[in-house]
Amino acid sequence: MTALDARPDAPTSLRTRTAYRTCPLCEATCGLEVTVQEDEGGVERVVRIRGDRDDVFSHGFICPKGSTLKQLHEDPDWLRQPLVRDEAGELVEVSWEEAWRVVDERLRAFRERHGPQALGVYVGNPNAHNLGSMLYLRAVLRSLGTSSVFSASTVDQRPKEIAACLMYGAFSGAVPDVDRTSFLLMLGANPFASNGSLATAPDWPGRLRRLVARGGELVVVDPRRTETAREATQWVPLRPGGDAALLAAMVNVLLAEDLVALGRLAPHVAGLAEVAEAVAPFTPEAVAGVTGLDPETVRDLARRLAAAPSAAVYGRMGTTAQAFGTVASWLVDVLNILTGNLDRPGGAMFAKPAVGSANTRGTPGVGRGVRIHRRHTRVRGLPESLGELPVAALAEEIDTPGEGQLRGLLTIAGNPVVSTPNSARLDAALEDLDLMISVDVYVNETTRHADVILPVPSALQKAHYDVALYGLALRNVANWSEPVLPLEEGRPDEWEVLAKLALIAQGAGPDADPAVVDDLSYQGLAQHAPPEVVEAVDATGRRGPARLVDLMLRTGPYGLTLDELLAAPHGIDLGPLEPRVPEILRTPSGKIELAPPEILADVPRLRASLAAEAGGELLLVGRRDLRSNNSWMHNVEVLVKGRPRCTLHLHPDDAVRLGVADGEEVEVTSAVGSLTVPAEVTADIRPGVVSLPHGWGHGHPDVRLRVAASRPGVNSNVLTDDAAVDAVSGNAVLNGIPVRVTARR
Ligand SMILES: Nc1nc2c(c(=O)[nH]1)N[C@H]1C(S)=C(S)[C@@H](COP(=O)(O)OP(=O)(O)OC[C@H]3O[C@@H](n4cnc5c(=O)[nH]c(N)nc54)[C@H](O)[C@@H]3O)O[C@H]1N2
Ligand SMILES: Nc1nc2c(c(=O)[nH]1)N[C@H]1C(S)=C(S)[C@@H](COP(=O)(O)OP(=O)(O)OC[C@H]3O[C@@H](n4cnc5c(=O)[nH]c(N)nc54)[C@H](O)[C@@H]3O)O[C@H]1N2
Ligand code: SF4
Ligand SMILES: [Mo]
């Protein structure tokens, strides 16, 4: 008997159970073990969350955020009832019936007055992690009939998606085979903080440490000496925005020194001559100014990459959210291909997800390819890609009068006022909308402008399957999570909220049954499935996401069933990645297009940038912290307590020059805005570069985030410029922002 059991008031027989759930907070997909206990009133509560040691992918790994699914679930500020703006302008709680009635009425009136195209949609990051959105968001967008769709993808990875789509014909993200590689060249990523991105795997720190421990090399190219760079075998302190030029120079060296070795891929590659011509001007000497790197460093990197027994080049946020994001992303894969490392163990490989993906469907080896730039934004002419418009144009599309002006906005799991460039402008623009609806869980910087907020349950009350992320995994796995806790009576699941919105947008009225959209979605998929598979799924009697996923699994490349996943609560391991070229290709030529014209067209701009004189300004870059998650987890006390994290990192040389002491408040000014923030002097940053994390700035009185408001921090996107975009993708430039820093004395 333990001391605890001996306590006289210890309840004698509290029923506990254990549930398993994949963490949906970042891309790592860690398995969680959740202990649930029934209190004396019979109400179940989560008493503990820890890493699931038996999870086939994470083996017990968890970061400090994973266990906070409990705090999020219990957060008093997490909305449990819809909010509607009343006549006094206050957001007040209403019943679901009332909320749907208002949505129906307002949306109908809005579209009669302005037409469907006047409604913009902004889709935020959590949608990629939410099963409900992965499966039903499309129905909402289609029903709304607007082409003004924006998302967090254009403040993030759009360049990489475009490069992959054009090169392989469908979105196929090559991921570094970290567990088997002997040389990892990582640019603009900090997985010790982010846990990896567009390369799904739990425990990046462990994987990278094992790479170094087995004698492999980890080279980190980053203007900051990040947590990752500190554990690397080499830190390359690149000047912000210099990636495309650096990578072009590396390709130049490979060609000049006859180090190209396509290997097995040789018969599958087209366009090498065009690449050679494009990179010819980019000698290591020519790029020295913009990269801030010694030409010998660049040559040495190229030679070591070519000589390594296996190697992978991997670029993330720092290479995509910058002025030459698409060219940089393209060159990452060009380097993998030219060194024979694409699609081989230890190189950069392609996952094969159990639910299928664009590169498992259709005819293997050939396809229609992907077309981009099919239309452009009204005001600035920024290009469409993958059915969306660049979010850097959202504010101007709202605040610029004229035919086609956006007059309303639907946000789904997004906080663009904090996450997108020139925040102050968007904040002001949202104030002027005729209608704003948000599917969200908090009243935050964005949703405070909404007329209606439709909340969704917490992760613990939703089923889960990583439809998107397993397509980018470092190992093929499949894992289904049942909801850990039941939904309260009368509360709709996230997928039902989306399905209902879709129906209302179709004109079916506020009483329409979400099951209709579910059935239509299912029938849409079933059309392409063998009849016996459809019969088998029908026979399960399942509805909702479970039915769709069951069908997708059965028609996927492993022919799994949902029952098999239900019987495997720690997931099913489908093995290490295997070579997939040419089967994954969906280009009309059936080849890897090494030289897509849309991307080559931007190389002259890169070349012109080499000659540009560096101004005297400091360059601002971002950073992430393990305990933050973009803008929305600062209301969790255990994650925000301790030393303030929203500080401006500044090199000691710059601090001396500017007369700034550590901890002192400084004013930071860019072309579009200005803010005041404490300076943190650190040698872990390149001189001339300053860094501020994004996702903060929770101080507005209308924001209902009690914990976050107590440590509001500042919004770094007040400084980023909506005018600055990558030309090919229209992706916002969030790194390398020229700023002035002055001591506030
Ligand atoms: N300066 C700078 N800016 C950046 C970045 C940077 O590195 N530097 N990073 C960019 C990147 S990579 C991204 S992805 C974007 C993120 O941009 P956003 O997606 O706009 O922002 P998030 O902070 O992820 O906001 C998520 C929103 O969803 C809500 N939410 C959370 N969980 C759920 C849920 O389960 N369902 C629903 N319906 N809502 C939910 C939250 O309350 C919040 O409003 O920010 C970008 N902005
Ligand atoms: N803890 C935590 N985890 C997260 C998130 C979070 O907010 N917090 N967000 C999630 C999301 S939405 C995403 S997209 C991923 C992103 O995951 P990562 O891509 O790993 O993102 P970051 O940690 O921001 O790392 C980007 C790095 O790029 C560097 N950098 C800035 N400018 C440049 C440049 O011009 N060139 C180069 N080479 N480097 C540059 C920055 O110093 C920074 O270290 O993380 C995900 N995981
Ligand atoms: S790394 Fe942390 S936030 Fe990401 S999935 Fe794992 S536990 Fe969740
Ligand atoms: Mo992101």
Side-chain angles (χ1 to χ4, degrees), residues 122 124-125 130 156 413 415 419 440 444 462 494 624 631 717:
Y122 175 81
N125 170 272
N130 280 341
D156 188 351
N415 191 4
S419 309
D440 208 287
N444 62 20
K462 296 189 278 200
E494 183 154 32
R624 283 177 160 73
S631 76
N717 282 315

Side-chain angles (χ1 to χ4, degrees), residues 27 125 156-157 316-317 624 630:
E27 298 176 47
N125 170 272
D156 188 351
Q157 81 288 354
R316 246 335 253 122
M317 212 40 212
R624 283 177 160 73
N630 295 323

Side-chain angles (χ1 to χ4, degrees), residues 78 122-127 130 133 152-153 155-157 316-317 321 412-421 439-444 446-447 454-459 462 494 622-624 629-633 692-695 716-717 720 734-735:
W78 186 287
Y122 175 81
V123 177
N125 170 272
N127 291 291
N130 280 341
S133 329
S153 293
V155 277
D156 188 351
Q157 81 288 354
R316 246 335 253 122
M317 212 40 212
I412 303 178
N415 191 4
V417 167
V418 176
S419 309
T420 69
V439 180
D440 208 287
V441 297
Y442 287 123
V443 180
N444 62 20
T446 296
T447 60
L454 304 166
V456 303
S458 82
K462 296 189 278 200
E494 183 154 32
R623 70 173 187 270
R624 283 177 160 73
N629 194 20
N630 295 323
S631 76
W632 70 274
M633 284 182 67
L692 191 61
H694 77 286
S716 68
N717 282 315
T720 53
L734 304 175
N735 291 300

Side-chain angles (χ1 to χ4, degrees), residues 312-378:
V313 186
Y314 165 66
R316 246 335 253 122
M317 212 40 212
T319 62
T320 55
Q322 57 148 282
F324 296 98
T326 308
V327 171
S329 302
W330 161 65
L331 289 169
V332 163
D333 275 14
V334 167
L335 277 173
N336 283 320
I337 294 165
L338 297 193
T339 53
N341 281 303
L342 189 84
D343 201 42
R344 75 158 168 184
M349 303 191 74
F350 301 101
K352 189 195 263 189
V355 293
S357 62
N359 67 32
T360 63
R361 290 187 280 267
T363 315
V366 68
R368 275 188 309 182
V370 171
R371 282 182 56 216
I372 58 168
H373 301 179
R374 293 171 295 182
R375 54 198 167 87
H376 293 82
T377 59
R378 171 183 68 107

Side-chain angles (χ1 to χ4, degrees), residues 21 134 235 264 380 523 622 636 667:
R21 213 261 184 223
M134 286 313 299
W235 171 45
R264 208 195 106 238
R380 206 189 328 167
Q523 283 151 20
V636 178
E667 190 164 306

Side-chain angles (χ1 to χ4, degrees), residues 358-428:
N359 67 32
T360 63
R361 290 187 280 267
T363 315
V366 68
R368 275 188 309 182
V370 171
R371 282 182 56 216
I372 58 168
H373 301 179
R374 293 171 295 182
R375 54 198 167 87
H376 293 82
T377 59
R378 171 183 68 107
V379 179
R380 206 189 328 167
L382 292 186
E384 167 273 352
S385 62
L386 312 184
E388 293 175 7
L389 299 171
V391 71
L394 179 56
E396 70 198 19
E397 290 298 325
I398 298 172
D399 69 19
T400 312
E403 177 75 28
Q405 183 184 8
L406 292 184
R407 297 306 307 137
L409 187 69
L410 167 66
T411 70
I412 303 178
N415 191 4
V417 167
V418 176
S419 309
T420 69
N422 198 353
S423 291
R425 182 175 182 181
L426 184 61
D427 198 23

